[in-house]
């Protein structure tokens, strides 16, 4: 699905990346803990999070996250928006809670970037 | 050796946390390493950088690149780690509320570094500092 559709499904506001809404996304990961994002998220996924500080963008850059969706109607900090612009990572915001955000995307075919954590993890 | 550089990391602040990792990632991308290798190198550098920003007074990250492998060292001056085996355990953390507020402190970082690098060495001296060496094979 295109990021544009994600935006419509979530009635999201686009803070950064108006010009990148044609990007294709298939998978997502949701967490408020960047430590977990680093351990589990996969390249090319959407990141759904309630965290609003610039570390969300740094973490996403390191992991090649496709786009960030800030949930629960939180506003990203100005430093966060500036960093997302610098690193060219789309940053959207939705008023849906994390559970609803994930459910709505899942109902439209977006799946988890990992279904469940393996007993022994790899790094693909 | 085709490339070597050293980057300073400020300790005890998140002001520029991750800046060095973004630079390292950019450099490796330009050197045409595979996406997977760049990503692994970026992750281990970032985890090490965040630990310096979280726990150390100051530190540096040294990047050494050869066509066949990427060597990353993170050397800091700071409190050091008393029990390395314990620190390596997933879930063990001494993170302060400030660190948790930034989204870190799950006690996954060192275990994550080990998982994403081909070679990982860690030494530390309490009251002096910590030294990590990570090798990613291309
Ligand atoms: N450079 C360092 N200097 C001093 N202590 C450190 C350093 N790196 C790690 N530690 C200690 O080891 C513990 C575990 O580190 P690790 O990176 O695995 O987890 P964390 O930083 O607590 O959380 P996470 O990395 O998941 O966000 C830390 O809580 C801290 O006590
Ligand atoms: Mg850590």
């Amino acid at each position: 699905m295109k990021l544009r559709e994600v935006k419509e499904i979530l009635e999201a506001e686009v803070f950064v990346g108006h010009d990148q809404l044609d990007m294709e996304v298939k998978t997502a990961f949701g967490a408020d803990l960047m430590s977990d994002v680093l351990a589990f998220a996969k390249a090319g996924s959407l990141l759904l999070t309630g965290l609003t500080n610039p570390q969300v963008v740094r973490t996403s850059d390191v992991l090649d996250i496709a786009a960030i969706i800030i949930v629960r109607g939180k506003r990203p900090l100005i430093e966060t928006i500036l960093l997302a612009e610098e690193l060219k990572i789309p940053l959207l915001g939705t008023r849906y809670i994390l559970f609803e955000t994930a459910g709505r995307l899942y109902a439209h075919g977006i799946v988890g970037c990992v279904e469940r954590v393996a007993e022994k993890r790899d790094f693909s | 050796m085709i490339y070597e550089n050293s980057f300073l990391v400020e300790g005890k602040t998140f002001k520029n946390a991750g800046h060095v990792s973004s630079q390292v990632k950019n450099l490796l991308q330009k050197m045409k390493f595979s996406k997977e290798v760049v990503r692994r190198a970026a992750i281990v550098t970032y985890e090490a950088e965040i630990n310096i920003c979280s726990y150390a007074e100051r530190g540096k990250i040294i990047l050494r690149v050869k066509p066949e492998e990427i060597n990353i060292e993170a050397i800091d001056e700071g409190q050091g780690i008393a029990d390395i085996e314990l620190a390596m355990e997933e879930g063990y953390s001494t993170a302060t509320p400030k660190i948790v507020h930034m989204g870190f402190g799950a006690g996954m970082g060192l275990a994550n570094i080990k998982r994403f690098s081909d070679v990982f060495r860690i030494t530390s001296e309490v009251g002096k500092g910590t030294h990590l060496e990570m090798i990613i094979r291309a």
Side-chain angles (χ1 to χ4, degrees), chain A residues 63-75:
Chain A
L63 293 171
D64 296 323
I65 291 290
I68 303 163
I69 316 281
I70 296 185
V71 300
R72 301 194 283 277
K74 295 197 178 181
R75 314 281 308 179

Side-chain angles (χ1 to χ4, degrees), chain A residues 35, chain B residues 46-48 50-51 54-55 93 99 104-110 113:
Chain A
S35 315
Chain B
Y46 187 62
E47 293 279 17
I50 294 292
N51 280 355
S54 301
Y55 307 108
S93 178
I99 297 167
F104 298 97
M108 308 273 285
L110 291 173
I113 292 176

Side-chain angles (χ1 to χ4, degrees), chain A residues 32-36 38-43 51 53-56 58-64 86-87 121-124, chain B residues 14 16-19 21-22 25 29 35-36 39-40 42-43 46-47 50 90 101-106 108 112 115-116:
Chain A
D32 285 355
L33 206 51
M34 292 303 110
S35 315
D36 279 348
L38 280 158
F40 303 115
K42 300 272 196 266
L51 210 66
N53 69 51
Q55 254 25 83
V56 173
R58 280 291 178 207
T59 306
S60 297
D61 180 47
V62 162
L63 293 171
D64 296 323
E86 185 192 323
L87 297 174
R121 274 178 260 140
D122 65 359
F123 48 74
S124 55
Chain B
F14 278 83
N16 289 314
H19 185 75
S21 307
S22 289
K25 187 182 174 201
Q29 265 168 347
K35 270 192 167 173
E36 194 48 46
R39 187 168 180 271
R40 285 167 58 200
I43 292 174
Y46 187 62
E47 293 279 17
I50 294 292
E90 276 189 25
H101 183 74
M102 297 309 293
F104 298 97
M108 308 273 285
N112 220 15
R115 184 158 58 239
F116 282 102

Side-chain angles (χ1 to χ4, degrees), chain B residues 88-100:
Chain B
M88 289 292 308
E89 265 178 37
E90 276 189 25
Y92 175 81
S93 178
T94 61
T96 60
K98 180 181 131 193
I99 297 167
V100 173

